[in-house]
Short mmCIF file of all heavy atoms in Angstrom, two decimals:
data_model
loop_
_atom_site.label_atom_id
_atom_site.label_comp_id
_atom_site.label_asym_id
_atom_site.label_seq_id
_atom_site.Cartn_x
_atom_site.Cartn_y
_atom_site.Cartn_z
N THR A 66 24.02 26.12 -40.63
CA THR A 66 25.40 25.83 -40.25
C THR A 66 25.58 24.36 -39.92
O THR A 66 26.55 23.73 -40.36
CB THR A 66 25.81 26.69 -39.04
OG1 THR A 66 25.65 28.08 -39.37
CG2 THR A 66 27.24 26.44 -38.63
N VAL A 67 24.64 23.79 -39.17
CA VAL A 67 24.71 22.37 -38.84
C VAL A 67 24.61 21.53 -40.11
O VAL A 67 25.34 20.55 -40.29
CB VAL A 67 23.59 21.99 -37.84
CG1 VAL A 67 23.47 20.48 -37.70
CG2 VAL A 67 23.85 22.61 -36.49
N GLY A 68 23.75 21.92 -41.03
CA GLY A 68 23.61 21.20 -42.29
C GLY A 68 24.90 21.21 -43.09
O GLY A 68 25.32 20.18 -43.62
N TRP A 69 25.56 22.38 -43.18
CA TRP A 69 26.81 22.46 -43.94
C TRP A 69 27.93 21.67 -43.28
O TRP A 69 28.75 21.04 -43.95
CB TRP A 69 27.24 23.91 -44.14
CG TRP A 69 26.51 24.59 -45.25
CD1 TRP A 69 25.63 25.62 -45.14
CD2 TRP A 69 26.57 24.27 -46.64
NE1 TRP A 69 25.14 25.97 -46.37
CE2 TRP A 69 25.71 25.15 -47.32
CE3 TRP A 69 27.25 23.33 -47.39
CZ2 TRP A 69 25.53 25.12 -48.69
CZ3 TRP A 69 27.08 23.30 -48.76
CH2 TRP A 69 26.23 24.18 -49.39
N VAL A 70 27.98 21.71 -41.94
CA VAL A 70 29.01 20.94 -41.23
C VAL A 70 28.81 19.44 -41.46
O VAL A 70 29.77 18.71 -41.72
CB VAL A 70 29.00 21.29 -39.72
CG1 VAL A 70 29.82 20.30 -38.92
CG2 VAL A 70 29.52 22.70 -39.51
N LEU A 71 27.56 18.98 -41.36
CA LEU A 71 27.28 17.56 -41.59
C LEU A 71 27.59 17.17 -43.04
O LEU A 71 28.15 16.11 -43.30
CB LEU A 71 25.83 17.23 -41.26
CG LEU A 71 25.48 17.17 -39.77
CD1 LEU A 71 23.98 16.99 -39.60
CD2 LEU A 71 26.22 16.05 -39.10
N LEU A 72 27.23 18.02 -43.98
CA LEU A 72 27.49 17.72 -45.39
C LEU A 72 28.99 17.67 -45.68
O LEU A 72 29.47 16.74 -46.34
CB LEU A 72 26.81 18.75 -46.28
CG LEU A 72 26.89 18.49 -47.78
CD1 LEU A 72 26.14 17.22 -48.14
CD2 LEU A 72 26.34 19.67 -48.55
N ALA A 73 29.73 18.65 -45.16
CA ALA A 73 31.18 18.67 -45.40
C ALA A 73 31.86 17.48 -44.72
O ALA A 73 32.72 16.82 -45.31
CB ALA A 73 31.78 19.98 -44.90
N GLY A 74 31.45 17.20 -43.48
CA GLY A 74 32.05 16.06 -42.76
C GLY A 74 31.71 14.74 -43.41
O GLY A 74 32.58 13.85 -43.55
N GLY A 75 30.48 14.58 -43.85
CA GLY A 75 30.08 13.34 -44.50
C GLY A 75 30.76 13.13 -45.84
O GLY A 75 31.19 12.02 -46.17
N THR A 76 30.89 14.20 -46.61
CA THR A 76 31.57 14.10 -47.90
C THR A 76 33.05 13.78 -47.69
O THR A 76 33.61 12.94 -48.42
CB THR A 76 31.41 15.41 -48.69
OG1 THR A 76 30.01 15.69 -48.81
CG2 THR A 76 32.03 15.30 -50.06
N THR A 77 33.66 14.40 -46.70
CA THR A 77 35.07 14.11 -46.40
C THR A 77 35.24 12.66 -45.98
O THR A 77 36.18 11.98 -46.42
CB THR A 77 35.58 15.05 -45.29
OG1 THR A 77 35.37 16.41 -45.69
CG2 THR A 77 37.05 14.82 -45.01
N MET A 78 34.33 12.18 -45.13
CA MET A 78 34.40 10.77 -44.71
C MET A 78 34.25 9.83 -45.90
O MET A 78 34.96 8.83 -46.01
CB MET A 78 33.30 10.46 -43.68
CG MET A 78 33.61 10.92 -42.28
SD MET A 78 32.24 10.66 -41.13
CE MET A 78 31.96 8.93 -41.27
N ALA A 79 33.34 10.14 -46.80
CA ALA A 79 33.11 9.28 -47.96
C ALA A 79 34.33 9.26 -48.88
O ALA A 79 34.74 8.20 -49.36
CB ALA A 79 31.87 9.73 -48.72
N VAL A 80 34.93 10.42 -49.11
CA VAL A 80 36.11 10.49 -49.98
C VAL A 80 37.28 9.73 -49.34
O VAL A 80 37.98 8.96 -50.02
CB VAL A 80 36.48 11.97 -50.27
CG1 VAL A 80 37.85 12.07 -50.91
CG2 VAL A 80 35.43 12.60 -51.15
N GLY A 109 29.90 8.22 -44.16
CA GLY A 109 29.86 9.52 -44.83
C GLY A 109 28.58 9.74 -45.60
O GLY A 109 28.00 10.83 -45.58
N THR A 112 25.81 10.39 -43.14
CA THR A 112 25.93 11.75 -42.60
C THR A 112 25.46 12.78 -43.63
O THR A 112 24.81 13.77 -43.28
CB THR A 112 27.38 12.03 -42.19
OG1 THR A 112 27.81 11.02 -41.29
CG2 THR A 112 27.52 13.37 -41.51
N ASP A 113 25.77 12.55 -44.90
CA ASP A 113 25.26 13.44 -45.95
C ASP A 113 23.74 13.42 -45.99
O ASP A 113 23.10 14.47 -46.16
CB ASP A 113 25.82 13.04 -47.32
CG ASP A 113 27.27 13.43 -47.49
OD1 ASP A 113 27.76 14.28 -46.72
OD2 ASP A 113 27.92 12.89 -48.41
N SER A 116 22.09 15.46 -43.22
CA SER A 116 22.14 16.91 -43.34
C SER A 116 20.94 17.48 -44.09
O SER A 116 20.61 18.66 -43.93
CB SER A 116 23.43 17.34 -44.05
OG SER A 116 23.40 16.99 -45.41
N PHE A 120 18.74 21.35 -43.76
CA PHE A 120 18.57 22.35 -44.80
C PHE A 120 17.09 22.63 -45.05
O PHE A 120 16.70 23.79 -45.27
CB PHE A 120 19.24 21.90 -46.10
CG PHE A 120 20.74 21.99 -46.08
CD1 PHE A 120 21.51 20.86 -46.25
CD2 PHE A 120 21.37 23.20 -45.89
CE1 PHE A 120 22.89 20.94 -46.23
CE2 PHE A 120 22.75 23.30 -45.88
CZ PHE A 120 23.52 22.16 -46.04
#
Side-chain angles (χ1 to χ4, degrees):
T66 302
V67 169
W69 280 114
V70 167
L71 286 174
L72 185 65
T76 305
T77 305
M78 281 175 57
V80 168
T112 306
D113 285 343
S116 71
F120 286 119

